[in-house]
Amino acid sequence: MSRTSPTPQPGESSPLLQQSRPPQQQQQKMTSLLFWKVGAVFGATAVGLGAFGAHGLKKRIADPAKLANWSTAAHYQLVHSVALLLASGNPVAATLFTAGMTMFSGSIYALTLNTEKFKFLGPVTPIGGLCLIAGWLVLAFGKKGGPPQWPRF
């Protein structure tokens, strides 16, 4: 006498019959969740750094151009943090946004605080800007175009 498992009928579901996610899907979910968290942390730090620039930095730096540069860096970081949240399911765009914010805003913050010490970062700023532009273009024309797929927590 042979034992066979019953064949599920259409519409039936059984925990024993459900398969776990393939490793590639699991990796994509983990990557999406990582970029989601990075975007949220970058957003929080943008607000904090923007507030510092508006209040604390004015006590240390009198040059209005430097204060405006700091404000620009915080603004771009905040806008692109939201873009990173939207792009969290697109690893190419998300990587470009992360690199772009780090290089663009990060170099401006450093140059504002100490231009002489961090002048080697001057060429990094436009590279960061190009990464931000590329991130938007990947969202527009990349393979994974369309509405975002929000990570599930």
Side-chain angles (χ1 to χ4, degrees), residues 41-52 73-79 81 109:
V41 168
F42 273 32
T45 58
V47 173
L49 289 167
F52 173 71
H75 177 86
Y76 272 64
Q77 183 179 343
L78 184 59
V79 167
S81 296
Y109 293 138

Side-chain angles (χ1 to χ4, degrees), residues 35 73 81 93 130 147:
F35 281 124
S81 296
L130 289 173

Side-chain angles (χ1 to χ4, degrees), residues 8 14 18 30 34 56 64 67 76 83 103 118 128 130 141 147 150 153:
S14 167
Q18 293 176 352
M30 295 301 292
L34 172 67
L67 294 172
Y76 272 64
M103 289 189 286
F118 296 110
L130 289 173
F141 302 109
W150 302 102
F153 302 99

